[in-house]
Every structure is written in structure tokens, then in C-alpha cells.
Amino acid sequence: MSLRHAILGIVSARPMTGYELIRTFANSVAYTWAAGQAQIYPELHKMEHEGFLTAQAASRGASEKRVYSITAAGGEELRRWVEATTRYPAERDVARLRATYLELAPATSRTFFEQHLAHYTALLEKLELRRLSVEQRSGPLLQARLATRPAAEHAAIIAFKAHGVAGQIERTKAEIAWAQAGIELVDRLAAG
Amino acid sequence: MSLRHAILGIVSARPMTGYELIRTFANSVAYTWAAGQAQIYPELHKMEHEGFLTAQAASRGASEKRVYSITAAGGEELRRWVEATTRYPAERDVARLRATYLELAPATSRTFFEQHLAHYTALLEKLELRRLSVEQRSGPLLQARLATRPAAEHAAIIAFKAHGVAGQIERTKAEIAWAQAGIELVDRLAAG
DNA sequence: GGAAGCATGTAAAAGGTTACATGATTGC
DNA sequence: GCAATCATGTAACCTTTTACATGCTTCC
């Protein structure tokens, strides 16, 4: 149940609407914890109901929008969750499972690794940009977060976020290397 | 929906009972596609109903057990799935999400990385054993699989399975390196 | 006037986890 | 006789995905 903690983490930087939150999930957070709008709106309601968020109605022409802020209880819950022990989820890796049975598909085995390579190459590019934006402290959400915290904490905030992205980058590079080695393997097997 | 393909992959090596399948999921397959018994038994019934598996009742003293075999349609479905394009699932990484907010938990941030290290070190050990067992073609299930396929295919079967495990090992090593760098980071921040 | 983006939701289905529940067999 | 292992299942719940649904606002 980390969706709510991902939400708390974002809203702890600054108050925002559900829509803004959804866009944030589609961008920066997407590489760590993906969530779609069908999950986010109901969760916001639940979290408001449980006292982790408060919503203020803001006018938007004729209609209204709801701006969510984190409450003291919400901040407490986020901290409690960060301090708790990680429960590592069971491994579930479709690509690797398919790769295990690639002898059944000699015609498409090379394509499999080419697509794996393409997928993670594209991801790597986005992650490198993200790393830059964290290290340079550009990115409006990070700036908003820093503005709420004392300057003495800034180094740690940046360091942990950059370290997180760095970990994703290394994992992604491992996938790229695996795909490249896979292509070589397929060619070697084809050569006989 | 890869559970059924994981099942088809295992049963394609040799017929077995649900219980044996569950044990296989708890061991070798666990690192690629985890599944518990509450998922497996109902899925077996569904797959039998849909014609991907057939069950023969075998006696077991007073009671009976059901031995599942893969059908032609099941083999075809497995091949079709291996040939199909991978749909990469959305990223969802609890540990990395927590790491992002570690500035909120200065007291436990070192422990977080220590546990990450311990978790992946233990996993690495199991994966290294698994790699050995694949490369040496020990492991009764792999031997059963090889026995069903012509000798000319054996090299490819072993190569793809070993390559899969090698990929998991590299990913795991990346996590270990990340945890070690995290510990150093925490110590550096604490030293000021 | 129309397109892009802002904004908020729901319903149904699929997939996965946790806990409960039962009984036979094998080996000590 | 008892413990471990073999063997099979169900129920409730939680999480996630896919698809549907609606309407306002801003900019061109």
C-alpha cells in the first residue's frame, strides 16, 4: 500500500489538485511508483476521509477545483512509513520469464532483445534528464520542497533523491547490457 | 497475465501435480515469477477448463492426486506468448520510493541500506546456485525438459535459461552496489 | 469555433495477498 | 503416536488496469 505514501511524498512538497498530482505521477514519479488517474482520485478521497489530507475548494471560473494539502497526521504517516522496514515484494519479471523460453521462438528471439534494448535505452534517457534536474535543483516541485525545509537539510534532500535516481540508472544500464549480450548470444547460436 | 505462461513453461518440462508446481514456484521460478498456492490451484482449474492442460487422477493410498500435463493447445499458447511483444509493466519500486524520502528518517537511514544490502546479498547467493545448476544441467526439472527435446536444441535451451539467470544476477549486483553507496552516503552526511 | 489542456470522477474486471480449512501419508 | 510433508482447496480483501463519462477554460 505505497500509493498513498507516494501521494503524501508529493503533496508534502506543496499543495496541489488531483490533476496536478496525476501529471506528476506521469512524469517524475512514474519511474519509481506508477499510478493512473483511476487510482489517484479515489485514493485522495480516502486519504482526506482518514485525515491525511485536507482539501480546499478553489474557484476555477464557473466550476471548482480541489486543492489538497498534507495534514500533520499525513506528515506523520509519511515519516512512519519511511522509518518502517521495507517489505520486499515478490519478484515478477515478464521479460525475464519470456527470455527463459526463447528457444521456442527462434524467429523472434533477436527482436525480443532488440526491443528490450530499445525500451531501457529510452528509459535511461529520461532518467539521465531526471538526475540532472535533481542535481541542479531545477524542477519546480523540488524547489517548492526545498523552500519548506531549512537550508541545513537541503544537502540531504538532494543527496537522497539523486541517489535514488542513480540506482534506477544503474539498474537500467544492467538491463541494457543484458539485452546487448542477449543479441550476441542469439547471433552466436544462429551461427552454430 | 503471465501466471499461466509460467505454469505452462514448467509443465512443458514434465507432468506434475499442483503441489509439485507450488514447490517449483517456491524455488527456481520464484526469482522470475512468484505465485502462491491460492493463485495456482484456481488457475490450474481454469487452464484445464480452457484446454491448455489435462489432468489425470493418480492414486495416492486412499485419496487421489491430479497430475497435470500440457496439451497441444497449451504448448501452442506458450509459444505464441514467447513470440509476442513484451508489454513492459509500469515501474513500482517500494525500496527506491522510500529511499527518496530518507531525509525524514535520519535515525534509520543507515539501517535501510543495510537491509537492502542484506536482502539482495541473500538473493544473490540463491541466484548463483541457480546459475550453477542450470549451467551444469543438474536440477531434475531441467533434465526432464532436455529429455523431451532433440539434442540439437539443448545448447539453446541451456543458453537462454543461463542468460536469464545471469541478467537477474547483474540486476542484483547493481542493487548491492547501490546499497553500499547508500551506506557511504549516509555516513558522509552524518560526518557533515 | 475548435483544439488542447484542465479537471474530476465511476464501473467492471483482472490479478494478487492473506488467512482459513481439511485430511492423508511417510518416517521416526 | 507425532511431526513433517504431501495434497487440495476456498473466502475475503486489496490493488491495479481498462474503459467509460463529463464538462470547463484557455488559446489560437
Side-chain angles (χ1 to χ4, degrees):
Chain A
M1 208 196 17
S2 300
L3 172 61
R4 62 173 48 193
H5 301 109
I7 291 174
L8 287 172
I10 298 165
V11 178
S12 71
R14 71 166 175 80
M16 57 175 80
T17 65
Y19 186 80
E20 285 178 290
L21 205 51
I22 287 159
R23 273 192 319 176
T24 308
F25 268 94
N27 301 318
S28 50
V29 206
Y31 317 123
T32 315
W33 199 269
Q37 124 228 53
Q39 248 189 304
I40 293 172
Y41 282 118
E43 187 66 28
L44 286 172
H45 296 321
K46 259 192 265 173
M47 290 170 76
E48 189 189 355
H49 185 76
E50 291 170 46
F52 298 126
L53 298 175
T54 36
Q56 291 129 283
S59 83
R60 183 179 169 260
S63 56
E64 277 197 338
K65 60 182 177 181
R66 295 167 66 72
V67 181
Y68 289 93
S69 309
I70 194 167
T71 62
E76 184 49 40
E77 170 61 21
L78 177 61
R79 220 209 58 234
R80 191 204 57 70
W81 173 77
V82 176
E83 277 176 1
T85 306
T86 310
R87 285 199 49 195
Y88 288 86
E91 305 279 341
R92 220 160 259 130
D93 189 333
V94 211
R96 210 91 58 194
L97 183 62
R98 277 188 67 208
T100 302
Y101 297 107
L102 234 33
E103 74 267 8
L104 299 175
T108 53
S109 57
R110 199 179 202 276
T111 312
F112 167 83
F113 286 115
E114 283 165 357
Q115 281 170 356
H116 199 80
L117 183 61
H119 175 78
Y120 283 104
T121 302
L123 180 60
L124 181 61
E125 226 173 284
K126 288 177 203 156
L127 287 171
E128 298 276 25
L129 287 174
R130 173 108 188 100
R131 165 146 69 176
L132 265 182
S133 110
V134 170
E135 281 171 356
Q136 294 175 352
R137 306 182 184 200
S138 55
L141 199 65
L142 185 53
Q143 284 177 2
R145 183 184 304 280
L146 292 176
T148 67
R149 311 298 309 168
E153 261 183 48
H154 289 194
I157 292 173
I158 298 298
F160 285 127
K161 274 151 202 61
H163 189 58
V165 183
Q168 295 176 301
I169 286 175
E170 290 313 309
R171 194 164 58 51
T172 305
K173 283 182 178 170
E175 292 299 338
I176 289 171
W178 182 72
Q180 282 165 340
I183 291 171
E184 282 165 39
L185 171 62
V186 169
D187 290 346
R188 222 180 312 128
L189 287 171
Chain B
M1 211 197 14
S2 299
L3 172 61
R4 63 173 47 193
H5 301 109
I7 292 175
L8 287 172
I10 299 165
V11 179
S12 71
R14 71 166 175 81
M16 57 176 79
T17 66
Y19 186 78
E20 284 178 291
L21 205 50
I22 287 160
R23 271 193 319 176
T24 308
F25 268 95
N27 301 319
S28 52
V29 207
Y31 316 122
T32 315
W33 200 270
Q37 125 227 54
Q39 248 189 303
I40 293 171
Y41 282 119
E43 187 66 28
L44 286 172
H45 296 322
K46 260 193 266 173
M47 289 169 77
E48 188 189 355
H49 185 76
E50 292 170 45
F52 298 126
L53 298 175
T54 34
Q56 291 131 280
S59 83
R60 183 179 167 259
S63 55
E64 276 196 339
K65 59 181 177 181
R66 295 168 67 71
V67 182
Y68 290 92
S69 310
I70 194 166
T71 62
E76 183 49 39
E77 170 60 20
L78 178 60
R79 220 209 58 233
R80 192 204 56 71
W81 174 78
V82 176
E83 277 177 0
T85 306
T86 310
R87 284 200 49 196
Y88 287 88
E91 304 280 342
R92 218 160 261 131
D93 190 333
V94 211
R96 209 92 59 195
L97 183 63
R98 278 187 66 209
T100 303
Y101 297 107
L102 234 33
E103 75 267 7
L104 299 175
T108 53
S109 56
R110 200 180 201 277
T111 312
F112 167 83
F113 287 114
E114 284 164 357
Q115 281 169 356
H116 199 80
L117 182 61
H119 175 78
Y120 283 103
T121 302
L123 180 59
L124 181 61
E125 226 172 285
K126 287 176 204 157
L127 287 171
E128 299 276 24
L129 286 175
R130 172 109 187 99
R131 165 146 70 177
L132 264 183
S133 109
V134 171
E135 281 170 355
Q136 295 174 353
R137 308 182 184 199
S138 56
L141 200 64
L142 185 54
Q143 283 176 3
R145 184 184 304 281
L146 292 176
T148 68
R149 312 296 310 168
E153 262 183 47
H154 289 193
I157 291 172
I158 298 299
F160 284 127
K161 273 152 202 59
H163 188 57
V165 183
Q168 295 176 302
I169 286 175
E170 289 313 309
R171 192 163 62 48
T172 305
K173 283 182 178 170
E175 292 298 338
I176 288 171
W178 182 72
Q180 281 165 339
I183 290 171
E184 283 167 38
L185 171 62
V186 168
D187 290 346
R188 222 180 311 129
L189 287 170

